[in-house]
Amino acid sequence: MRAGTLILAAAAVALAFSCTDDGGAVISDITEMGTVVNGRIVNDMGLTYTVTEDGSGTRWNAMDRILYNCDILTRTSPTAYDIRLKAAMEPGIMQIVTDAEATEAPESDPAQIFAAWAGGGYLNIGFRFLVKESSQEPAISETHSFSVEAFPAPEVSDTLFLYLRHDAGGEFFGQDDSPASDYKTATSYACIPLGEVIAPGGSRDVCLSWIWHKSSEEGELLTGTELLSTAARCEI
């Protein structure tokens, strides 16, 4: 396994985002990313949450980074709240791999980034990939691996170019004659530390790229792929 490569289990996460204010007393169904610190959750905006009701069914307090869904119950200080934890998962950490001799982006199997945001000193991403309908855990995590690679090397340009690389282990739509109906969508999340490429209190333009399937006008996936990207100014 290449250094910096992370094997990720496909997460069947249903952390739907909606925010409703119930008479000013309770805010329901908040989905955020944060860090577990001394048995409490500190979200990426610096608010501290104490879990007074736990319906997540997880060992969330043993996690480091945490993606969670909760209801806010009570405000205990200007920056602290009691919450009802409803769902939680631990996203993987993807260290940035740098190849100083790289002259072009590496080959990759398709994986679609559907969400990307900076927070907590990380670039947080949510991404999807296709697996055979018959694939089961832990087979997915044993077959599919991901890494994020800097291209070119961070010191070459003020803009940080990052590339999500997916190794599907030979299991991806288009590698044989299997129709799209033989595949299902798996979803996962990861956090990319930015501290080694952005100085504390600093900011940097980041361009994030990935390979995904082309699609027809009707939205049907095609076997061909294309390079997609998004860019933003990230601060830590």
Side-chain angles (χ1 to χ4, degrees):
M1 186 170 65
R2 298 180 59 184
T5 300
L6 177 69
I7 303 295
L8 292 176
V13 183
L15 300 179
F17 179 83
S18 64
C19 183
T20 58
D21 191 342
D22 184 10
V26 177
I27 301 177
S28 301
D29 289 328
I30 293 177
T31 299
E32 295 178 325
M33 190 83 79
T35 303
V36 177
V37 180
N38 297 326
R40 292 179 171 85
I41 298 172
V42 179
N43 76 1
D44 284 348
M45 295 179 290
L47 301 178
T48 299
Y49 295 154
T50 298
V51 178
T52 57
E53 299 181 24
D54 185 5
S56 69
T58 66
R59 296 182 62 238
W60 65 269
N61 52 3
M63 299 177 184
D64 181 12
R65 291 289 286 170
I66 181 173
L67 176 67
Y68 57 93
N69 178 268
C70 72
D71 297 335
I72 292 181
L73 303 178
T74 307
R75 185 179 185 182
T76 58
S77 82
T79 59
Y81 299 84
D82 291 342
I83 66 168
R84 176 189 299 116
L85 188 64
K86 299 164 68 175
M89 66 163 289
E90 186 172 23
I93 303 295
M94 281 190 192
Q95 300 291 341
I96 297 174
V97 177
T98 301
D99 183 355
E101 298 180 357
T103 58
E104 59 184 15
E107 293 184 359
S108 176
D109 296 325
Q112 180 188 42
I113 294 177
F114 64 85
W117 70 100
Y122 296 86
L123 178 60
N124 306 295
I125 61 172
F127 55 97
R128 303 183 180 100
F129 52 103
L130 299 181
V131 299
K132 285 281 190 177
E133 185 67 38
S134 58
S135 295
Q136 300 292 329
E137 288 287 3
I140 293 175
S141 60
E142 293 174 350
T143 303
H144 295 260
S145 64
F146 298 84
S147 62
V148 62
E149 307 195 8
F151 172 77
E155 62 269 21
V156 173
S157 170
D158 182 57
T159 298
L160 177 61
F161 294 90
L162 298 179
Y163 184 81
L164 178 66
R165 185 175 182 275
H166 174 206
D167 183 351
E171 183 185 89
F172 61 91
F173 175 53
Q175 56 88 26
D176 57 24
D177 294 331
S178 300
S181 58
D182 284 357
Y183 290 83
K184 61 183 178 182
T185 300
T187 301
S188 198
Y189 295 83
C191 302
I192 303 166
L194 295 175
E196 293 186 3
V197 291
I198 301 178
S203 63
R204 191 172 184 181
D205 289 325
V206 176
C207 180
L208 181 62
S209 301
W210 63 95
I211 293 288
W212 187 237
H213 297 282
K214 294 181 179 179
S215 59
S216 66
E217 294 182 357
E218 293 75 26
E220 180 182 1
L221 290 182
L222 305 176
T223 55
T225 60
E226 58 185 339
L227 179 67
L228 302 173
S229 63
T230 185
R233 190 75 177 178
C234 293
E235 300 179 356
I236 63 171

